[in-house]
């Protein structure tokens, strides 16, 4: 460390104001503050509550994402092997290390591309605008690979990352200014730009060329979307007799509540395991980074809407148990890591509850009522991101009104 | 009354005086109808999927705006100000009908693709805006220059957006394949390497984003364009 410090101090004057390399100060500073505490101190009076800063907050979220990442690697590896063998009955825990290896080969390049491209864009903007590299991308860079289907081509991830960072964030003024979640912007971009790769109903785990007979790589969400149509399929096989009960039984065999809870189902890299999401949620709540209000109300909103759908029950999809809705697709992942994004979520306490509740509700509504979008969580959260300022506005106005009333009566 | 005052006040100036030239150059950049005045956005979003449509649309607007501006300018002292909007509408509508019929006769397939948007030139804010803001108060020659400038200002944005959208959305330019072909079974070009057309480019929101990026670049180059809040 001493050695490093010497180097840093030696080169510091060059980057300072008026130095030869002044222009590159943002990059210099970003690298040095990775290793050392910045020498900046508050110039006016300080109000210290906690030593937490943006970097530490971000690190907490990344730590919370580790269970999802690890499980995602294993799950991806599992379905890579399943796809290679064309055998869905492969026991989940067999060939542990070869699955880890296969998964890592798929997932780690996604992580590297996402970070590499995103940080490069941030550096460029940092140099142009003359500010230090913002830490905001540290979390987005980890979230992006986790919401991608495993077979997405790397260049698409790169394009989506550039789009998300530039259009989702820099255009509004950088970290902390964005109105929509950056990682979800990347996913939404791919969803609309390359729908054949992202539609979420099939080939999630295997590239087409790898799909051996009998393995279509369909996901729970894709199968459920067929339940509203004439031709119901589950895991690549047509439902015998096309009756609702048969479809539900086959669905429960393929994606039982337990499997969905643990995460042993096909899906985007990091989203399948509810356990991993809950572990992450526990860390976020313990450190105060995530908002319990949003996570809980998101879940309740989804559950209530699920019950409502059960009550209507006009097609087999509507009969899916409400609790099962919370376990499949990206619901848990979205509720814990996406909806709680402190920048784009509602800021007021009541606003957070409304924001979460409607988010969960819209997610299930899109899922069930619009078969063109098998997974509604992404669109629901983006929608609520846009609505959050309005929610906050009315919450604040209501408070103002309430207190005005009190003033008048007194 | 006002005519007499004007005649004595305005000395005849050369056809390509600095002021007249500015009428053409200003709308190209610093007073662009689309990016600065944000007029005529709807057509810019709707018909920029292919370059051909962009070019034809630009030509149509060029025709309507130049003739309209000159006609309104010639009539400006005869139009009672209370019914001027109706008179302006009649002029645009007749010109648009001519364009629409010409397109239908000579370029039927483009005309089909542009569908209602040729007819909607009538409501294009740029045209009515120029009539109201310029032709009603200026002589025919400056009005002609103004129309030229504004329609080219409209055209270059339209064509730029449609180049970007066609290139990345369909992999071609003016109908010629640039990136190869994506037809299943007979792929060639970079599609064989796994490249895919960007579907979002075909959707209107992407046109909005591209126009937004152009505005962004324009404003960061010329700080005077940024509004104070």
């Amino acid at each position: 460390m001493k050695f490093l410090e010497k180097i840093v101090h030696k080169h510091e004057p060059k980057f300072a104001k008026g130095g030869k390399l002044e222009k590159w100060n943002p990059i210099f500073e970003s690298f040095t503050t990775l290793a050392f505490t910045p020498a900046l101190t508050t110039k006016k009076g300080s109000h210290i509550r906690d030593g937490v800063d943006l970097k530490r907050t971000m690190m907490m979220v990344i730590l919370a994402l580790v269970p999802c990442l690890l499980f995602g690697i294993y799950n991806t590896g599992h379905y890579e092997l399943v796809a290679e063998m064309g055998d869905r009955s492969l026991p989940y825990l067999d060939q542990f290390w070869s699955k880890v290896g296969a998964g890592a080969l798929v997932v780690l390049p996604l992580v590297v591309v996402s970070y590499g491209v995103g940080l490069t864009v941030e550096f460029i903007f940092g140099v142009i605008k003359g500010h230090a590299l913002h830490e905001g991308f540290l979390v987005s860079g980890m979230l992006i690979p986790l919401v991608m289907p495993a077979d997405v081509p790397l260049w698409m991830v790169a394009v989506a990352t550039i789009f998300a960072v530039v259009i989702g964030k820099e255009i509004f003024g950088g970290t902390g200014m964005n109105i929509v979640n950056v990682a979800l912007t990347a996913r939404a971009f791919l969803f609309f730009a390359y729908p054949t790769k992202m539609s979420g109903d099939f080939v999630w785990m295997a590239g087409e060329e790898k799909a051996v007979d009998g393995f279509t790589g369909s996901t729970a969400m894709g199968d459920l979307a067929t339940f509203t149509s004439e031709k119901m399929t589950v895991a690549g096989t047509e439902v015998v007799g096309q009756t609702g009960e048969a479809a539900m039984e086959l669905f429960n065999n393929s994606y039982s509540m337990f499997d969905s809870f643990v995460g042993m189902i096909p899906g985007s890299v990091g989203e399948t395991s509810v356990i991993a999401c809950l572990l992450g949620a526990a860390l976020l709540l313990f450190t105060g980074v995530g908002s319990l209000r949003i996570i809980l109300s998101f879940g309740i909103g989804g559950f209530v809407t699920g019950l409502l759908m059960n009550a209507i029950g006009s097609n087999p999809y509507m009969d899916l148990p409400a609790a099962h809705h919370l376990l499949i697709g990206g619901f848990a992942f979205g509720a814990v890591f996406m909806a709680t994004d402190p920048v784009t979520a509602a800021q007021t306490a009541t606003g957070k509850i409304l924001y979460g509740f409607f988010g969960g509700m819209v997610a299930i509504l899109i899922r069930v009522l619009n078969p063109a979008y098998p997974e509604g969580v992404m669109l629901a959260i983006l929608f609520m991101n846009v609505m959050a300022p309005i929610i906050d506005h009315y919450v604040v106005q209501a408070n103002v009104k309430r207190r005005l009333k009190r003033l008048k009566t007194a | 009354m006002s005519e007499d005052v004007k005649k004595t006040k305005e000395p005849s100036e050369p056809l390509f005086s600095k002021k007249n030239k500015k009428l053409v150059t200003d709308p190209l950049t610093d007073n662009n109808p689309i990016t600065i005045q944000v007029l005529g956005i709807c057509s810019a979003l709707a018909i920029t999927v292919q370059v051909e449509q962009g070019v034809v649309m630009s030509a149509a607007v060029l025709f309507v705006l130049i003739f309209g501006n000159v006609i309104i300018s010639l009539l400006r002292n005869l139009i009672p100000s209370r019914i001027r909007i109706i008179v302006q509408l009649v002029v645009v509508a007749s010109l648009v009908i001519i364009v629409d019929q010409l397109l239908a006769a000579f370029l039927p397939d483009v005309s089909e693709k542009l569908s209602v948007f040729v007819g909607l030139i009538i409501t294009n804010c740029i045209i009515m805006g120029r009539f109201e803001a310029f032709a009603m108060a200026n002589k025919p020659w400056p009005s002609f220059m103004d129309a030229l400038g504004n329609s080219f200002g409209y055209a270059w944005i339209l064509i730029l957006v449609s180049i970007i959208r066609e290139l990345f959305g369909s992999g071609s330019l003016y109908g010629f394949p640039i990136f190869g072909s994506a037809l299943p079974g007979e792929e060639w070009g970079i599609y064989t390497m796994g490249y895919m057309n960007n579907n979002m480019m075909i959707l209107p929101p992407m046109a909005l984003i591209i126009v937004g990026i152009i505005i962004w670049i324009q404003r960061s180059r010329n700080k005077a364009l940024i509004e104070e809040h």
Side-chain angles (χ1 to χ4, degrees):
Chain A
M1 260 346 206
K2 261 262 148 39
F3 172 69
L4 258 178
E5 213 177 332
K6 250 185 207 161
I7 297 179
V8 167
H9 280 307
K10 200 178 133 202
H11 292 287
E12 210 165 8
K14 276 191 217 158
F15 292 97
K17 241 194 166 136
K20 210 165 38 171
L21 299 169
E22 184 193 340
K23 218 175 159 192
W24 305 101
N25 186 38
I27 294 176
F28 174 77
E29 204 183 297
S30 313
F31 277 121
T32 48
T33 52
L34 269 186
F36 303 107
T37 321
L40 287 175
T41 49
T42 316
K43 295 210 174 71
K44 292 175 187 166
S46 55
H47 308 273
I48 300 173
R49 294 197 313 183
D50 186 3
V52 70
D53 66 349
L54 200 53
K55 234 169 239 178
R56 220 170 84 189
T57 317
M58 296 289 175
M59 283 323 284
M60 278 304 148
V61 183
I62 292 181
L63 280 182
L65 281 169
V66 167
C68 284
L69 179 70
L70 293 181
F71 192 88
I73 288 176
Y74 183 77
N75 195 46
T76 307
H78 172 72
Y79 282 99
E80 277 286 310
L81 287 197
V82 168
E84 246 160 55
M85 296 176 190
D87 174 19
R88 250 184 197 262
S89 56
L90 183 74
Y92 200 73
L93 289 175
D94 273 14
Q95 308 175 31
F96 186 86
W97 288 110
S98 59
K99 282 176 186 171
V100 171
L105 272 182
V106 175
V107 177
L108 293 185
L110 291 178
V111 178
V112 171
V113 167
S114 153
Y115 268 118
V117 173
L119 288 178
T120 310
V121 177
E122 293 253 329
F123 269 135
I124 293 171
F125 273 93
V127 170
I128 293 176
K129 291 184 171 175
H131 61 61
L133 181 72
H134 286 319
E135 293 90 342
F137 193 74
L138 290 181
V139 168
S140 307
M142 183 54 94
L143 283 173
I144 289 174
L146 291 184
V147 294
M148 293 289 159
D151 65 332
V152 69
L154 292 178
W155 68 268
M156 283 186 190
V157 179
V159 172
T161 308
I162 294 174
F163 180 86
V165 173
V166 174
I167 302 293
K169 198 161 88 179
E170 289 302 337
I171 215 166
F172 297 109
T175 301
M177 305 288 191
N178 45 320
I179 33 180
V180 288
N181 188 301
V182 176
L184 282 183
T185 311
R187 194 180 192 281
F189 175 79
L190 286 188
F191 183 81
F192 288 108
Y194 307 105
T196 47
K197 284 282 175 200
M198 292 291 293
S199 57
D201 41 7
F202 72 109
V203 276
W204 285 70
M205 284 305 145
E208 286 109 309
E209 62 277 4
K210 271 192 247 161
V212 194
D213 296 340
F215 186 79
T216 60
S218 64
T219 66
M221 305 315 301
D223 288 342
L224 282 170
T226 66
F227 283 14
T228 54
S229 68
E230 297 286 298
K231 192 169 164 250
M232 296 186 269
T233 55
V234 170
T237 49
E238 262 181 65
V239 175
V240 186
Q242 296 291 331
T243 57
E245 293 86 44
M248 211 29 89
E249 199 191 321
L250 199 54
F251 183 82
N252 274 327
N253 283 342
S254 302
Y255 319 98
S256 68
M257 287 246 202
F258 178 74
D259 282 355
S260 323
F261 186 66
V262 178
M264 303 188 289
I265 55 172
S268 286
V269 173
E271 69 174 17
T272 56
S273 171
V274 179
I275 293 182
C277 292
L278 289 180
L279 279 178
L283 181 66
L284 287 185
L285 293 176
F286 179 70
T287 54
V289 174
S291 158
L292 180 64
R293 281 196 180 89
I294 294 179
I295 299 177
L296 270 187
S297 60
F298 200 92
I300 293 170
F303 189 74
V304 169
T305 318
L307 287 181
L308 193 72
M309 290 294 146
N310 289 348
I312 301 173
S314 65
N315 65 36
Y317 198 165
M318 287 190 179
D319 285 332
L320 185 75
H324 208 154
H325 259 303
L326 309 189
L327 302 178
I328 53 173
F331 198 92
F333 191 83
V336 172
F337 295 107
M338 297 294 188
T340 54
D341 176 356
V343 178
T344 57
Q347 306 293 324
T348 51
T350 322
K352 279 177 182 168
I353 293 174
L354 289 173
Y355 164 92
F357 186 83
F358 284 113
M361 199 174 119
V362 173
I364 303 298
L365 283 180
I366 296 177
R367 263 187 193 177
V368 179
L369 300 181
N370 190 345
Y373 300 138
E375 178 54 297
V377 174
M378 167 188 80
L379 296 170
I381 295 174
L382 285 176
F383 180 70
M384 291 318 289
N385 282 168
V386 178
M387 289 296 152
I390 301 182
I391 298 176
D392 278 340
H393 172 80
Y394 282 109
V395 168
V396 171
Q397 288 304 313
N399 193 33
V400 169
K401 233 182 215 167
R402 191 174 55 83
R403 299 190 60 161
L404 270 180
K405 226 181 238 164
R406 202 191 302 159
L407 191 72
K408 268 171 204 158
T409 52
Chain B
M1 175 207 79
S2 61
E3 283 162 45
D4 300 327
V5 179
K6 254 187 198 164
K7 263 174 199 162
T8 50
K9 252 192 179 175
E10 279 179 29
S12 68
E13 51 177 287
L15 284 184
F16 294 100
S17 67
K18 217 174 186 181
K19 205 173 117 201
N20 281 346
K21 267 192 206 155
K22 217 169 147 51
L23 288 177
V24 182
T25 53
D26 245 19
L28 291 183
T29 52
D30 289 350
N31 199 12
N32 190 287
I34 294 188
T35 60
I36 306 300
Q37 298 172 15
V38 198
L39 298 175
I41 279 281
C42 344
S43 56
L45 304 191
I47 51 89
T48 48
V49 179
Q50 284 169 338
V51 178
E52 194 181 11
Q53 294 173 31
V55 170
V56 172
M57 186 70 182
S58 305
V61 169
L62 183 81
F63 173 84
V64 174
L65 190 51
I66 286 182
F67 277 89
N69 237 10
V70 172
I71 292 172
I72 292 289
S73 172
L74 287 170
L75 295 175
R76 70 185 189 282
N77 296 325
L78 300 172
I79 304 173
S81 76
R82 293 176 112 186
I83 59 161
R84 63 182 195 282
I85 300 286
I86 291 291
V87 176
Q88 289 164 7
L89 264 180
V90 169
V91 173
V92 199
S94 351
L95 287 167
V96 167
I97 290 170
I98 296 174
V99 171
D100 201 16
Q101 294 303 312
L102 281 176
L103 283 182
F106 294 105
L107 293 167
D109 42 326
V110 182
S111 160
E112 209 163 275
K113 274 184 205 153
L114 289 176
S115 65
V116 295
F117 289 100
V118 177
L120 282 178
I121 295 177
I122 298 175
T123 57
N124 191 322
C125 328
I126 297 175
I127 292 174
M128 293 295 276
R130 286 341 285 169
F131 288 1
E132 271 289 286
F134 201 88
M136 285 299 286
N138 284 286
K139 289 184 169 178
W141 177 250
S143 302
F144 172 77
M145 297 294 264
D146 179 71
L148 209 62
N150 275 288
S151 38
F152 274 112
Y154 175 77
W156 81 260
I157 298 287
L158 222 65
I159 291 170
L160 180 64
V161 173
S162 59
I163 284 175
I164 297 173
R165 285 182 74 190
E166 187 176 348
L167 189 62
F168 295 107
S170 324
S172 59
L173 275 182
Y174 214 90
F176 296 111
I178 300 287
F179 290 160
S181 161
L183 282 178
E186 40 185 306
E187 290 137 331
W188 59 277
I190 59 174
Y191 292 100
T192 51
M193 285 148 53
Y195 177 79
M196 281 169 93
N197 283 330
N198 190 327
N199 227 33
M200 198 156 158
M201 283 289 174
I202 296 175
L203 306 172
M206 201 61 197
L208 188 69
I209 291 172
I210 296 171
V211 172
I213 292 174
I214 296 174
I215 295 176
W216 186 17
I217 294 171
Q218 210 172 5
R219 291 189 177 203
S220 60
R221 286 167 60 100
N222 185 354
K223 301 277 184 226
L225 297 174
I226 302 172
E227 298 102 342
E228 293 288 326
H229 285 291

